[in-house]
Amino acid sequence: MNLKLLLAALLLAIAHPGSAVIGQDAQQEHVLTESAVIGQDAQQEQVLTEAELLASLAGGYTTIKQPDRAIQLLEEALSFNQTLANPCHRLEILTHVAGNYALAGQETKSSALFAQAQKILETTKYCEPEPSSSARNDPENWVLAAAGSNAIDGRHDMALRIATSFGDKYLEGMLLGLLDAYRESDSRQPDREAEIQLKLADYYNRTGQSDKAVQVWLSLVNYYNETGQPDRAAELQSLASKVERTFNTSASSNQSPQTQAQTELSRCFAQKETDALLSIRTIVETLDREQLKQVLNICKEVERAEQADVPPLAFKALEQIVVAAQKIANPISRSRTFTAVANLYAYLEKGAEAAKLLDKALSDLRAGAENLRSDAPFEASRALEEIIAGYLRIGQIDRALEVAQLVQTGKLNLAASDFSQVPVDSNFAYQSFMPPIVAFYAQNGRFEQALQLANTLGRGHQDEALLRIAEQYASKGQYAQALKTALMIKGLEVQNKTNVIYSIIERAINAGELNWAVQATQTLDWTKQTTQAIGQTIDGATNETRFYRNKLLLGIAREYAELRQFDRAIEAVDMMSSDEFGNYRRVKALSAIAREYAQAEQTEEAVKLLEQALKIARAISPPTLTPPR
């Protein structure tokens, strides 16, 4: 098993439960190779994988209106629970089967199975005998895995049915997890995401979390306006307005004063962008209580004005923050506050005001840099990063470069740029500030300058800069250039290089550049890139090669099928490896193609592919663990 891939997925899941759905897909393929290494545990996971595939194929038979065959497969999948000791394995099978019974119109059976699944969920504290921080030890993640795998497979109704079948206690986590499944896998489905967000807002409104409901509704107002649905946008705007007028009296009493202040400032400046919210958090953290109270009083006047645009009173609030910031004794905190206000001015399209404050933030930081506390260098470096980002935000690239060069020439000495107390070379410190500047050139289409600048950096910073250039090429649909740039990367500390390459090709697939994606997938020397990037052994790199190639080919097959280019879709399936690494993807691909055949009313072809997929799926788990059929 590629432990680096699996651990990365599980770490994501720990940070946010919803991300477990991403890791699960990788887990279910990788465990197929482990029976010789970890014995019974791997065999149990193979059983789980086979049961999940059988339930999914049952959904295919439901689509082609063969309910008896579908129910037979669901009963077969359910029978695997007899052989499984891990309660979370049984939980996932029950969830998959219950959802597919609902799809088949068997609501009574579906509800009974969901009730069984919920009992396991509520009575199981850990999936394994011993507690651990592993995401796989959290029962809720196994339900999220079931919902997320259906979302990624394009079975959206099934995914939503699973996520909403465990009651309010789990609803927020399930819906957020489902959103992550779409976002983290790059299978962007804005209409589906909007549907999930509406359910989330309804839940927040029902449970008295009005501030959260308003945030969701307002974000959807933008979405519906952008997609040509002004009536729907107006409806949500009205809902948000009604809640906003009573917000101060109905806000959740269990919110901390800091959280309430952040929420009120966000509304005061009409900001929902992540970077702006971070700036607001900085302001709340650095002003004292009395200073913050004065700002919030002005914001209440803004709220009472009830104007659609940001009124002059909001700018008065920003001016008050600047006055308060001048009284902050710590030069780093003072600098960061000025930068935060500058960012808010930038979002309100007041670039001149933003520039003045960034200059002041830099001046204060330079003045305070001579007498930093021994534990302050990291904070000072972070403050300088924010200043550089601020200049880039208002398009002042030359000024951002000048600031970085102050560090390079020793005119601004921040000592250490990390948590250690070891002074760092000024040129190294300068290079650490350069990747965002390189990204700015690339973002504005100045790729030649970006590459020239990246090549002046040392290896670690050069790799980060090249990664940002590759991301910008991909965002502009220049996938060949993105791939070429990614191949120049020597290695990355945080992100697996081969995963970067995979993401570029996946984006091309989602954009419909299928011919190029096939060529890139087939001609790329994945083994070479894997051994260079993360020091894999040849055997390990070969296994990882199969993982990436098979997963990309699955995406290609799905896209060709949706375009009704069935011959090309089958060709992609035939390119998959005919081993344990490829079988899981083959079943998924054949099932997806069969669904498209069914929608095209070519039932005979759909049946052929489902039977082929069924034969592969039934060969996954060891015969000794397979219940009688």
Side-chain angles (χ1 to χ4, degrees):
M1 182 186 298
N2 185 329
L3 289 178
K4 292 192 176 182
L5 269 177
L6 182 53
L7 286 173
L10 294 183
L11 285 171
L12 272 175
I14 293 167
H16 192 296
S19 301
V21 298
I22 309 304
Q24 186 71 12
D25 198 30
Q27 294 165 24
Q28 285 173 323
E29 178 170 358
H30 283 308
V31 294
L32 301 181
T33 68
E34 289 298 291
S35 57
V37 180
I38 54 176
Q40 188 66 24
D41 287 344
Q43 290 181 357
Q44 292 281 301
E45 298 255 13
Q46 290 173 333
V47 170
L48 175 65
T49 299
E50 181 172 337
E52 183 255 307
L53 290 175
L54 291 176
S56 178
L57 289 170
Y61 282 103
T62 298
T63 302
I64 61 173
K65 296 181 173 52
Q66 293 191 12
D68 292 343
R69 184 69 161 143
I71 290 172
Q72 176 193 346
L73 289 180
L74 291 177
E75 290 298 327
E76 188 176 328
L78 198 59
S79 69
F80 278 84
N81 271 358
Q82 304 167 16
T83 68
L84 295 173
N86 188 316
C88 292
H89 291 177
R90 297 196 299 274
L91 171 63
E92 189 181 12
I93 290 178
L94 282 167
T95 301
H96 275 295
V97 173
N100 277 285
Y101 264 115
L103 183 68
Q106 302 282 322
E107 285 293 340
T108 303
K109 181 73 170 179
S110 174
S111 298
L113 291 175
F114 271 127
Q116 289 182 39
Q118 183 150 357
K119 184 176 181 180
I120 293 176
L121 181 60
E122 292 177 344
T123 58
T124 303
K125 192 171 183 180
Y126 305 110
C127 297
E128 303 293 341
E130 299 294 330
S132 80
S133 60
S134 168
R136 290 169 60 83
N137 214 12
D138 182 351
E140 190 173 348
N141 281 345
W142 290 83
V143 177
L144 282 167
S149 64
N150 278 286
I152 294 168
D153 286 347
R155 305 178 71 199
H156 311 291
D157 293 344
M158 175 77 68
L160 200 56
R161 175 59 188 265
I162 291 172
T164 56
S165 292
F166 291 85
D168 277 359
K169 178 180 178 182
Y170 301 97
L171 186 59
E172 180 181 20
M174 295 290 179
L175 293 175
L176 289 173
L178 206 47
L179 283 173
D180 282 350
Y182 286 115
R183 291 167 180 167
E184 297 294 333
S185 68
D186 280 339
S187 56
R188 301 294 300 184
Q189 298 281 344
D191 54 336
R192 301 293 179 176
E193 290 179 32
E195 183 182 2
I196 295 168
Q197 287 177 295
L198 284 172
K199 289 188 177 296
L200 196 57
D202 176 68
Y203 163 76
Y204 287 141
N205 195 40
R206 260 191 313 107
T207 56
Q209 301 178 69
S210 304
D211 54 331
K212 291 184 178 180
V214 167
Q215 289 174 10
V216 176
W217 281 329
L218 291 178
S219 69
L220 288 173
V221 166
N222 296 333
Y223 165 75
Y224 285 116
N225 277 326
E226 289 168 2
T227 55
Q229 302 178 66
D231 291 344
R232 189 70 172 121
E235 179 186 342
L236 295 181
Q237 182 72 61
S238 175
L239 279 174
S241 299
K242 290 175 183 176
V243 174
E244 284 181 334
R245 282 196 288 271
T246 59
F247 175 79
N248 284 335
T249 57
S250 63
S252 177
S253 60
N254 60 5
Q255 280 189 332
S256 69
Q258 266 201 339
T259 301
Q260 288 185 32
Q262 289 175 26
T263 301
E264 291 183 33
L265 285 178
S266 300
R267 296 171 66 241
C268 182
F269 304 123
Q271 286 303 320
K272 295 176 286 293
E273 297 292 336
T274 301
D275 289 343
L277 295 178
L278 290 174
S279 294
I280 288 169
R281 187 170 70 183
T282 297
I283 290 168
V284 172
E285 290 173 349
T286 53
L287 297 189
D288 65 33
R289 182 174 297 180
E290 188 56 37
Q291 291 171 330
L292 193 56
K293 182 179 178 181
Q294 294 175 21
V295 176
L296 292 176
N297 284 338
I298 297 173
C299 284
K300 288 178 182 178
E301 295 180 50
V302 173
E303 194 171 298
R304 284 194 290 270
E306 292 187 350
Q307 298 178 26
D309 298 324
V310 179
L313 286 169
F315 293 112
K316 182 181 176 182
L318 288 176
E319 291 167 5
Q320 180 62 41
I321 296 171
V322 172
V323 171
Q326 291 171 344
K327 300 176 183 178
I328 297 174
N330 183 309
I332 299 175
S333 296
R334 188 166 64 247
S335 174
R336 292 191 65 220
T337 306
F338 285 139
T339 303
V341 180
N343 288 337
L344 292 176
Y345 270 120
Y347 281 110
L348 298 174
E349 299 182 356
K350 296 290 183 180
E353 289 83 351
K356 289 177 185 177
L357 282 173
L358 290 169
D359 289 344
K360 183 158 185 57
L362 178 61
S363 175
D364 279 22
L365 186 63
R366 292 186 70 179
E370 300 299 324
N371 300 300
L372 292 177
R373 303 188 317 270
S374 61
D375 60 345
F378 174 79
E379 295 174 23
S381 292
R382 185 173 65 166
L384 195 60
E385 286 177 1
E386 292 170 356
I387 291 170
I388 290 172
Y391 281 121
L392 295 176
R393 191 168 288 116
I394 59 175
Q396 294 197 10
I397 179 67
D398 292 338
R399 189 71 175 122
L401 272 170
E402 287 174 14
V403 174
Q405 287 163 355
L406 288 174
V407 177
Q408 185 183 33
T409 58
K411 294 179 181 177
L412 178 54
N413 181 17
L414 300 178
S417 62
D418 55 21
F419 288 106
S420 72
Q421 302 306 312
V422 180
V424 298
D425 176 78
S426 60
N427 192 55
F428 181 89
Y430 154 78
Q431 291 188 40
S432 70
F433 294 118
M434 291 308 294
I437 295 175
V438 171
F440 181 87
Y441 279 116
Q443 184 178 346
N444 287 276
R446 299 162 69 179
F447 286 106
E448 186 175 341
Q449 288 168 284
L451 286 165
Q452 288 175 351
L453 196 53
N455 287 330
T456 67
L457 305 178
R459 174 173 168 177
H461 298 123
Q462 182 185 77
D463 286 339
E464 185 181 347
L466 289 171
L467 171 62
R468 295 186 183 224
I469 295 171
E471 289 173 343
Q472 289 301 322
Y473 269 128
S475 71
K476 298 178 188 301
Q478 300 181 48
Y479 303 111
Q481 288 301 111
L483 182 56
K484 181 180 178 182
T485 305
L487 291 173
M488 294 165 60
I489 297 171
K490 297 294 188 293
L492 292 167
E493 291 184 6
V494 178
Q495 193 171 8
N496 184 346
K497 175 183 174 180
T498 41
N499 194 44
V500 173
I501 294 170
Y502 165 81
S503 296
I504 291 168
I505 301 176
E506 185 182 46
R507 289 178 77 164
I509 293 169
N510 292 334
E513 297 289 338
L514 300 180
N515 292 338
W516 179 85
V518 171
Q519 183 182 19
T521 300
Q522 291 298 91
T523 59
L524 190 66
D525 189 342
W526 290 95
T527 301
K528 177 182 177 182
Q529 296 304 323
T530 303
T531 53
Q532 287 180 344
I534 56 175
Q536 275 275 21
T537 64
I538 291 296
D539 287 345
T542 300
N543 290 344
E544 187 161 321
T545 293
R546 294 173 183 171
F547 170 77
Y548 282 114
R549 286 183 69 256
N550 290 329
K551 192 172 181 184
L552 287 169
L553 288 168
L554 170 58
I556 290 167
R558 282 174 174 159
E559 290 295 322
Y560 274 130
E562 287 182 10
L563 294 170
R564 304 293 165 84
Q565 297 183 32
F566 295 117
D567 290 344
R568 300 299 301 273
I570 297 297
E571 285 175 11
V573 176
D574 290 341
M575 292 177 194
M576 295 178 182
S577 55
S578 299
D579 53 21
E580 61 270 29
F581 285 93
N583 285 340
Y584 181 76
R585 304 292 177 195
R586 280 176 173 268
V587 174
K588 291 280 188 179
L590 290 170
S591 181
I593 299 169
R595 284 199 301 274
E596 295 299 329
Y597 265 127
Q599 289 185 15
E601 298 183 356
Q602 298 185 46
T603 305
E604 186 177 340
E605 295 299 327
V607 170
K608 286 179 183 178
L609 292 186
L610 287 174
E611 290 299 320
Q612 185 180 341
L614 185 57
K615 183 177 180 181
I616 297 170
R618 281 177 167 162
I620 285 177
S621 64
T624 55
L625 294 180
T626 303
R629 297 187 176 102

